[in-house]
């Protein structure tokens, strides 16, 4: 992984759409079944919308029925960080881009057992899809 990316709030606002900014920089969540990647079945890599770091690959994507893109594991473990999230009277594990600290979503332990049991529930607004050629 390269150096951490740090930008001002104004720089992030100029770079991102309103929804991308709200999700990645302010830890919001897009509404279920509204994101452009929740039903994407193409083969390719999912990168951070803020900095371009590779995060997930389509070979670990599955339909969790939740309305958000779900993955069993990051494609680049070192690019996905985790921290405890105690908002909304719950205890969850937030996942973020390790390079720029963009909020991606959360990881839960209710994923496919045969794939390790994890479900990375990720906001489409935090991702940029790059189709395999």
């Amino acid at each position: 992984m390269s150096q951490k990316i740090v930008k001002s709030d104004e720089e992030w606002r100029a770079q991102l759409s309103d929804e991308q900014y709200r999700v990645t920089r302010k830890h919001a969540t897009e509404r279920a079944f509204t994101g452009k990647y929740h039903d994407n079945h193409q083969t390719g890599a999912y990168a951070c919308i803020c900095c371009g770091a590779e995060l997930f690959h389509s070979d670990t994507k599955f339909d969790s029925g939740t309305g958000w893109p779900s993955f069993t594991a990051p494609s680049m473990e070192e690019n996905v960080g985790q921290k405890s999230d105690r908002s909304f009277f719950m205890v969850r594990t937030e996942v973020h881009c390790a390079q720029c600290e963009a909020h991606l979503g959360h990881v839960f332990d209710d994923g496919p057992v045969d794939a390790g049991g994890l479900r990375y529930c990720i906001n489409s607004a935090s991702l940029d899809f790059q189709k395999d050629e």
Side-chain angles (χ1 to χ4, degrees):
M1 184 176 74
S2 59
Q3 277 188 293
K4 292 254 186 204
I5 295 173
V6 179
K7 293 184 179 185
S8 70
D9 205 43
E10 293 77 26
E11 289 173 306
W12 288 124
R13 280 187 183 276
Q15 175 184 330
L16 304 168
S17 73
D18 288 343
E19 183 176 33
Q20 291 167 340
Y21 175 80
R22 197 174 51 78
V23 168
T24 62
R25 309 322 305 177
K26 298 300 179 185
H27 301 258
T29 301
E30 65 195 13
R31 288 188 352 244
F33 301 101
T34 64
K36 63 182 177 179
Y37 299 128
H38 90 274
D39 198 29
N40 182 24
H41 299 285
Q42 296 179 327
T43 303
Y46 293 85
C48 176
I49 195 69
C50 293
C51 71
E54 184 178 330
L55 305 169
F56 300 95
H57 194 272
S58 60
D59 60 2
T60 65
K61 189 173 186 288
F62 69 101
D63 183 1
S64 65
T66 62
W68 290 279
S70 296
F71 303 88
T72 56
S75 59
M76 307 278 296
E77 291 278 344
E78 65 273 17
N79 288 349
V80 178
Q82 299 183 9
K83 63 183 170 186
S84 180
D85 176 0
R86 297 180 178 274
S87 62
F88 303 109
F89 307 103
M90 296 183 262
V91 178
R92 301 177 291 176
T93 302
E94 178 204 353
V95 290
H96 59 269
C97 176
Q99 190 164 311
C100 70
E101 297 292 323
H103 171 73
L104 305 173
H106 293 86
V107 61
F108 302 96
D109 62 2
D110 60 359
V113 176
D114 61 339
L118 295 178
R119 173 175 57 95
Y120 287 81
C121 186
I122 307 299
N123 291 285
S124 289
S126 67
L127 299 173
D128 181 34
F129 181 70
Q130 297 151 3
K131 186 177 176 182
D132 283 349
E133 296 187 25

